[in-house]
Amino acid sequence: MNTDNATEIFEMDSDSEIEQEPEVNIEMIDEPEYAQEFIQNCGAVLEGEDMAKAEFVEFNNKPDSLFFNDGTRRIDFVLVYEDEDKKEYDKRHMYQRRKRRREYFEASLMKMGLELEATHSVLDEKVIFVKVHAPWEVLCTYAEVLHIKLPIQPNDMKSKDSPFNCFTKYFYPSKELIAPETEYFTAPFEKDRLEYFCIKDQDTFFTPSMRSRIVYYILSRALYEVRGKIKKFGITKLLGSVVYKAAYPLHDCRFNVKSEDKNCPNERYLLYNEWAHPKSFYKMQPLDLIRKYYGEKVGIYFAWLGFYTKMLAFAAVVGLGCFIYGYQTKEVSTWSQEVCDPQIGGNIVMCPQCDRECAYWRLNSTCESSKKLCIFDNFGTLVFAIFMAVWVTLFLEFWKRYQAELEYEWDTTEFLEQEEHPRPEYEAKCVHERLNPITKVKEMVPYTTCGKCMRVTCGIGTVFFWILLIIASVVGIIVYRLAVFFSFSANLRREIKELEPFKEYVTPQMATSVTASIISFIIIMILNIVYERVAILITDFELPRTKTEYENSLTMKMFLFQFVNYYSSCFYIAFFKGKFVGHPGDPVYWLGKYRNEECDPGGCLLELTTQLTIIMGGKAIWNNVQEVLIPWLKNLISRYCMSVGSEKVIPRWEQDYQLQPMGKLGLFYEYLEMVIQFGFVTLFVASFPLAPLLALLNNIFEIRVDAWKITTQFQRGVPEKTQDIGAWQPILQGIAILAVATNAMIIAFTSDMIPRLVYYWSFSVYPYGDHAEYTMRGYINSTLSIFRIDDFSNASKPLPEKNPYWFDTENITTCRYRDLRYPPGHPRQYEHSIYYWHVIAAKLAFIVVVEHVVYFTKFILSYGIPDVPLEVKEQIKREKYLTQKLLHEANLKLVTKRLKPVADNILRNTDGEFRPPFVPSQ
């Protein structure tokens, strides 16, 4: 960029600017020289120059037409606005500034080569649709700017068929309806080398998604206001300030009715019937058609979601097997039988679990909880946790291979950051000059190094503040648990005494856990809504350069918040609840007032399972309501309000206008939802082996719901190019690494598996036990410590009136509690016993061994599975060879063409006669 023009400022208008601002005279400006990324400013309309206007035409009563009225020029984009001249007279002056901006914007578009045609709405005369068409020259110019790769010759390397094709072919969409696309080798488009590209027809050479992407690039950079050296541009802010009400590319037809126009490919109709319709739930996704119609970004999301769902099927089968194994063995487990035995569990008197108001209770009252615990806490769970650690590694490695195949097929293998153009919001703020360390050329940036550090620091500080806010809410839930457990312990049994069938199941611990989980879920949803807006504001303030950088920055902020928000309560139950409670004579208190809560008599693992079920189920229901029901209701209301025009012929662009616009962040929330689910499936799977099965069922439904939503309820989004799933890939890898540690710790510290193993192999036989052979008999009695009732303090001693009818104060002098401590009368009474230290050592050893074995296995699998299949590597090399050959031949022809006049002059003799070049005889 010339230094003379370095002081020019490019702005995107604030939404809050006053509409009543008086008209500004646009001063005469010189056309500056711009770098390629600022090519948009070549469309500036100078002072005194006549501003071209879109031609108004009448609707030609062809509702399925995708062309201008001439039937030749294709509609690549549609802009919608309300005519200010139709407004009430006393308010008309408020809209004049919008009108000026719109006229200047449209004039800039036309100067940049786009063609416009305007049409009044058939339902509302105030609404005007501006149809935008990009001619061949414009498409060629910007295809080169955007480095769009186009076919140069058919792919002569056939792909190998999968050995499973004989089974999977019945699950693919009909090839008669959706024919496989011809595979081509491609190269970045160049106008000067048209003859090397496979151009059969100029009208179809650029696909509709390519055309829409090119036009949106121009719209995002066209000027709409110039004041001296300040230039304002971009459709984004014009939409924000309501200069335009909508901007979108067209769907090619109605989703449920095939177009009668012979020029219409009916791709939306095919997608609905073969992909989005509920009857097609068993079919594989037509990914090539999805990518062709919606772009690579949408295609890669559905490819990832489909691959994740298929991999979940293996985990779901194994998890279901573990659940069935636990369910079948719950009646025969020795420790469960001892709890339920009237002669064992019925004679064990347990200590109260809260101060004063809680009563003594018999162990066999937790019989049902003990049986339910056996379903999830068994040796099958250990096997499943190790299986899931291997599964998640295989999932990520095989996804990388599949993603590499898609990258090649969809021409995103060499999609580099340098090819991605800056966001208009970034370009608008470029007012500082710096030396690019790579190119050594001066460039404009929106902030200095100090300013960038300040923005990043502000963003990090805000994220940590909100994380602390979540932790505070978790602490509040814990205090709620402690306070409510005290109340439930005193009153719950009495209040539900009439509900005899449920009396044995609704324990104070279970009631506290369920109500706390529901409240926690509500708080999670509220904080999500608020934080979402904060995260967007902070990311906007940071001003990332490209859209990829913007989404990656927002992704990390949102995921860190969601991670703490969704998982903090689960981590509390898994690793903190019931771990620091002391003993009945010296309990631990929170805030010096609330006695720390103990686990449910069935164990904390059961509570963790309850928490996961409520949050996973509630989140799935909430997301479906938010993503499907709300857009459907909005469209229903919109159609109802427009019912007056139901008898009129409505054009394609007006039908699309009644649909909901795609959000600014597109598929961000879809990814976030699935990654959070992935965390539930992997991080806590040791406590809930049915999690993969529930996730599988949800995802089978999710794929079709997302497909139905994007196909039927939303306007067609602007196709975007992307190479992979972006920042979600390292997040998934981080979750996979963390999942090994969390599951090992859940098995070690939350379940009773390690204490059982220690008892079986050490304390059931000599010298610690009385049994002659290894057995689990006596486990319950061995793991319950004894407490003398007289040792209760006055603050925690149960009230006499709270004692149950069977409690005999004269004969019952001790009670039992869950811990491994020496009994009263021992020289070290109420201190941890040798059994406790054996268990702690075994738990730590288990964590170390399992983590090292699993991490080593993951490393071997990651190293042994190449990220890119050999076949794809060969095709990439073949394509590079052809591209280089093409460029070499083109350069040779260009050199030959330029040297020919020079050679002709040299060969002329002094008499001015032409001497033909010497040709040797054969």
Side-chain angles (χ1 to χ4, degrees):
M1 182 179 292
N2 289 348
T3 56
D4 296 340
N5 300 313
T7 57
E8 291 181 339
I9 301 173
F10 300 92
E11 289 189 0
M12 298 192 74
D13 222 8
S14 171
D15 294 346
S16 60
E17 288 190 14
I18 302 174
E19 293 293 342
Q20 293 90 337
E21 181 178 323
E23 188 169 355
V24 179
N25 293 325
I26 301 176
E27 299 178 3
M28 185 70 176
I29 59 173
D30 296 329
E31 280 291 339
E33 295 179 10
Y34 294 100
Q36 193 175 39
E37 62 265 27
F38 286 99
I39 194 171
Q40 75 279 353
N41 297 299
C42 295
V45 180
L46 304 181
E47 174 71 17
E49 183 178 352
D50 292 335
M51 289 195 297
K53 295 184 179 181
E55 178 186 2
F56 271 86
V57 297
E58 294 295 329
F59 173 48
N60 57 8
N61 288 321
K62 295 181 179 180
D64 295 331
S65 176
L66 302 175
F67 297 86
F68 281 15
N69 272 15
D70 58 16
T72 304
R73 292 174 291 175
R74 184 183 182 87
I75 301 172
D76 299 316
F77 227 87
V78 175
L79 307 176
V80 187
Y81 68 91
E82 284 192 2
D83 188 1
E84 286 76 10
D85 295 333
K86 303 291 184 180
K87 300 287 184 181
E88 297 179 14
Y89 181 79
D90 57 341
K91 296 182 180 179
R92 193 178 301 171
H93 68 282
M94 297 173 58
Y95 304 98
Q96 292 307 307
R97 189 170 182 230
R98 293 182 186 176
K99 183 177 181 180
R100 289 196 309 273
R101 287 181 166 184
R102 186 173 58 253
E103 290 177 348
Y104 192 95
F105 181 73
E106 293 178 3
S108 299
L109 294 179
M110 297 178 75
K111 188 169 183 180
M112 295 169 76
L114 297 181
E115 298 176 1
L116 309 181
E117 183 179 85
T119 305
H120 284 279
S121 167
V122 299
L123 301 177
D124 185 353
E125 62 176 6
K126 292 184 294 185
V127 177
I128 295 177
F129 296 88
V130 179
K131 295 165 284 184
V132 182
H133 169 74
W136 172 257
E137 284 298 322
V138 173
L139 292 173
C140 291
T141 299
Y142 284 93
E144 188 170 352
V145 170
L146 295 175
H147 305 281
I148 294 178
K149 298 181 75 174
L150 291 161
I152 52 176
Q153 81 170 46
N155 189 336
D156 54 7
M157 300 180 68
K158 293 184 178 180
S159 302
K160 296 179 182 178
D161 292 332
S162 170
F164 301 102
N165 273 0
C166 56
F167 302 103
T168 60
K169 64 181 181 180
Y170 300 105
F171 298 97
Y172 280 92
S174 171
K175 292 185 178 181
E176 296 179 359
L177 296 175
I178 303 178
E181 293 187 13
T182 304
E183 294 185 12
Y184 286 92
F185 290 121
T186 60
F189 183 78
E190 294 185 35
K191 286 198 302 183
D192 297 335
R193 296 176 176 138
L194 286 176
E195 65 272 17
Y196 294 102
F197 292 91
C198 299
I199 305 177
K200 298 179 182 178
D201 184 354
Q202 288 187 357
D203 293 333
T204 59
F205 180 62
F206 293 100
T207 65
S209 60
M210 289 179 186
R211 300 174 69 101
S212 299
R213 181 180 162 208
I214 290 171
V215 171
Y216 184 75
Y217 179 83
I218 299 172
L219 293 174
S220 298
R221 289 157 174 80
L223 294 165
Y224 64 79
E225 188 171 274
V226 177
R227 298 190 223 168
K229 293 186 177 296
I230 298 178
K231 297 182 178 182
K232 300 182 179 182
F233 60 92
I235 186 63
T236 305
K237 286 301 178 181
L238 291 180
L239 290 170
S241 56
V242 204
V243 174
Y244 287 100
K245 298 188 68 176
Y248 51 88
L250 287 180
H251 282 298
D252 62 359
C253 65
R254 297 174 65 183
F255 70 87
N256 55 352
V257 178
K258 197 171 183 179
S259 174
E260 297 178 358
D261 191 333
K262 62 180 181 180
N263 295 319
C264 179
N266 287 294
E267 291 175 348
R268 186 190 185 195
Y269 175 79
L270 292 175
L271 286 171
Y272 175 73
N273 280 282
E274 298 297 315
W275 177 48
H277 198 283
K279 70 179 182 181
S280 302
F281 76 94
Y282 66 93
K283 293 184 179 181
M284 306 293 283
Q285 301 184 89
L287 293 177
D288 288 333
L289 184 58
I290 296 170
R291 172 249 180 172
K292 179 182 177 183
Y293 192 76
Y294 289 111
E296 288 81 3
K297 195 164 193 175
V298 174
I300 202 75
Y301 164 73
F302 281 103
W304 176 81
L305 181 56
F307 185 82
Y308 170 47
T309 303
K310 285 188 286 187
M311 289 293 292
L312 273 176
F314 300 100
V317 171
V318 178
L320 182 61
C322 290
F323 176 81
I324 293 173
Y325 168 78
Y327 187 83
Q328 294 293 330
T329 58
K330 69 174 183 175
E331 299 291 345
V332 298
S333 64
T334 305
W335 55 88
S336 179
Q337 289 177 345
E338 290 185 349
V339 170
C340 298
D341 191 341
Q343 301 302 318
I344 302 177
N347 289 328
I348 296 178
V349 178
M350 301 296 293
C351 298
Q353 292 187 305
C354 69
D355 296 337
R356 306 291 287 171
E357 295 291 336
C358 293
Y360 297 96
W361 50 285
R362 287 193 176 116
L363 181 61
N364 66 347
S365 65
T366 63
C367 177
E368 293 300 325
S369 295
S370 177
K371 289 181 181 179
K372 287 187 288 185
L373 177 64
C374 292
I375 297 175
F376 301 102
D377 192 2
N378 54 66
F379 296 111
T381 303
L382 172 60
V383 174
F384 184 57
I386 296 175
F387 166 81
M388 285 300 295
V390 176
W391 173 87
V392 73
T393 303
L394 293 175
F395 163 66
L396 293 175
E397 293 303 316
F398 285 130
W399 164 247
K400 289 178 185 177
R401 290 172 60 85
Y402 185 47
Q403 184 174 255
E405 294 177 13
L406 293 177
E407 286 176 12
Y408 174 73
E409 291 176 9
W410 294 354
D411 295 325
T412 60
T413 304
E414 298 178 356
F415 179 65
L416 304 176
E417 183 181 353
Q418 292 84 347
E419 296 182 19
E420 189 174 7
H421 291 266
R423 298 164 57 236
E425 293 85 352
Y426 177 92
E427 293 178 334
K429 302 295 182 182
C430 288
V431 294
H432 299 282
E433 192 176 74
R434 74 154 189 174
L435 184 68
N436 189 304
I438 306 300
T439 62
K440 299 301 181 182
V441 175
K442 289 184 178 181
E443 63 180 8
M444 301 301 293
V445 294
Y447 35 61
T448 61
T449 303
C450 180
K452 183 176 182 179
C453 290
M454 183 194 71
R455 291 169 184 263
V456 173
T457 303
C458 181
I460 294 174
T462 304
V463 172
F464 276 108
F465 168 78
W466 278 86
I467 289 176
L468 292 175
L469 187 63
I470 298 171
I471 295 174
S473 70
V474 173
V475 172
I477 293 294
I478 295 173
V479 173
Y480 165 84
R481 284 175 176 270
L482 302 178
V484 169
F485 175 72
F486 180 84
S487 176
F488 282 163
S489 298
N491 305 312
L492 184 64
R493 292 287 186 182
R494 183 173 65 253
E495 292 177 356
I496 66 170
K497 62 182 180 180
E498 297 179 357
L499 302 176
E500 190 61 35
F502 304 98
K503 187 175 180 179
E504 295 300 323
Y505 299 94
V506 183
T507 63
Q509 293 88 349
M510 181 59 69
T512 301
S513 178
V514 171
T515 56
S517 298
I518 294 173
I519 294 174
S520 177
F521 172 72
I522 294 173
I523 292 175
I524 285 172
M525 292 297 103
I526 294 174
L527 289 176
N528 274 348
I529 294 171
V530 179
Y531 178 76
E532 173 189 319
R533 304 192 179 191
V534 174
I536 292 174
L537 288 174
I538 292 299
T539 309
D540 288 340
F541 177 71
E542 290 178 359
L543 206 61
R545 179 177 179 272
T546 64
K547 188 167 184 179
T548 298
E549 292 177 2
Y550 180 92
E551 291 182 353
N552 289 348
S553 176
L554 183 61
T555 296
M556 293 305 300
K557 292 183 181 66
M558 287 294 292
F559 178 75
L560 285 174
F561 174 83
Q562 299 273 19
F563 184 89
V564 180
N565 199 13
Y566 278 107
Y567 303 143
S568 54
S569 59
C570 296
F571 275 103
Y572 165 72
I573 294 174
F575 305 124
F576 296 99
K577 184 180 178 182
K579 305 300 185 293
F580 312 100
V581 295
H583 61 86
D586 185 24
V588 176
Y589 291 89
W590 267 71
L591 307 176
K593 179 181 179 182
Y594 299 104
R595 179 171 169 175
N596 205 354
E597 63 178 333
E598 300 180 28
C599 289
D600 185 272
C604 278
L605 196 70
L606 202 57
E607 292 191 46
L608 180 57
T609 302
T610 303
Q611 180 84 355
L612 288 170
T613 304
I614 291 176
I615 293 181
M616 281 188 70
K619 184 174 180 295
I621 294 172
W622 173 263
N623 285 332
N624 286 327
V625 169
Q626 189 177 24
E627 296 175 7
V628 178
L629 187 59
I630 293 177
W632 179 76
L633 287 175
K634 286 182 177 179
N635 288 334
L636 187 65
I637 293 171
S638 176
R639 287 194 297 269
Y640 177 78
C641 294
M642 295 294 183
S643 61
V644 292
S646 59
E647 298 179 357
K648 297 181 179 179
V649 177
I650 303 176
R652 171 82 266 134
W653 49 86
E654 193 153 359
Q655 294 176 40
D656 284 5
Y657 177 60
Q658 295 175 4
L659 301 176
Q660 296 301 304
M662 288 291 290
K664 178 182 178 182
L665 299 177
L667 295 168
F668 172 81
Y669 298 106
E670 310 297 340
Y671 274 116
L672 184 61
E673 176 188 354
M674 289 296 103
V675 171
I676 293 296
Q677 182 205 85
F678 180 81
F680 282 122
V681 169
T682 54
L683 291 174
F684 306 102
V685 75
S687 66
F688 192 30
L690 287 180
L693 177 61
L694 296 181
L696 173 64
L697 297 176
N698 175 79
N699 288 6
I700 292 174
F701 183 71
E702 181 76 20
I703 290 175
R704 304 304 162 178
V705 165
D706 286 348
W708 176 83
K709 177 181 64 177
I710 197 174
T711 306
T712 67
Q713 302 301 308
F714 284 88
Q715 295 168 354
R716 189 175 182 178
V718 179
E720 295 182 50
K721 191 174 182 180
T722 190
Q723 187 174 19
D724 48 36
I725 60 175
W728 299 112
Q729 185 85 21
I731 287 175
L732 292 174
Q733 293 172 339
I735 292 175
I737 294 172
L738 182 61
V740 177
T742 56
N743 284 297
M745 293 174 68
I746 286 173
I747 293 173
F749 293 108
T750 309
S751 78
D752 286 338
M753 188 174 300
I754 303 302
R756 291 172 193 161
L757 290 173
V758 172
Y759 176 82
Y760 182 84
W761 291 108
S762 298
F763 286 84
S764 65
V765 296
Y766 180 82
Y768 299 108
D770 301 328
H771 300 284
E773 57 183 12
Y774 299 114
T775 180
M776 287 303 298
R777 291 193 303 272
Y779 170 75
I780 293 298
N781 187 63
S782 176
T783 55
L784 292 176
S785 298
I786 302 173
F787 182 77
R788 187 167 45 222
I789 291 176
D790 292 340
D791 291 340
F792 272 116
S793 65
N794 292 330
S796 58
K797 188 175 183 178
L799 295 172
E801 61 269 20
K802 296 295 182 180
N803 293 335
Y805 69 91
W806 49 262
F807 187 78
D808 187 353
T809 56
E810 295 182 359
N811 297 324
I812 300 177
T813 59
T814 62
C815 60
R816 311 294 288 272
Y817 60 98
R818 287 173 58 93
D819 210 341
L820 303 172
R821 296 176 183 267
Y822 290 114
H826 192 279
R828 300 173 60 190
Q829 67 175 5
Y830 302 139
E831 293 184 14
H832 287 119
S833 64
I834 189 66
Y835 188 4
Y836 173 83
W837 297 112
H838 272 270
V839 169
I840 290 296
K843 288 180 176 180
L844 296 177
F846 172 82
I847 291 174
V848 171
V849 171
V850 168
E851 283 188 352
H852 280 70
V853 170
V854 173
Y855 282 137
F856 180 74
T857 305
K858 289 167 69 71
F859 172 77
I860 295 298
L861 290 173
S862 300
Y863 183 79
I865 301 175
D867 291 347
V868 182
L870 178 62
E871 179 185 354
V872 174
K873 288 182 179 179
E874 292 174 349
Q875 290 183 335
I876 291 174
K877 291 178 180 179
R878 170 72 173 159
E879 185 170 288
K880 285 184 176 180
Y881 165 75
L882 290 175
T883 304
Q884 292 173 353
K885 180 181 177 183
L886 179 151
L887 294 175
H888 178 67
E889 291 177 354
N891 290 333
L892 282 179
K893 288 185 177 181
L894 184 62
V895 170
T896 303
K897 182 179 179 181
R898 290 179 177 176
L899 289 181
K900 189 176 184 305
V902 178
D904 290 346
N905 289 331
I906 294 176
L907 293 174
R908 290 183 183 277
N909 55 23
T910 54
D911 299 333
E913 295 180 357
F914 180 75
R915 182 184 303 165
F918 172 75
V919 179
S921 59
Q922 300 296 326

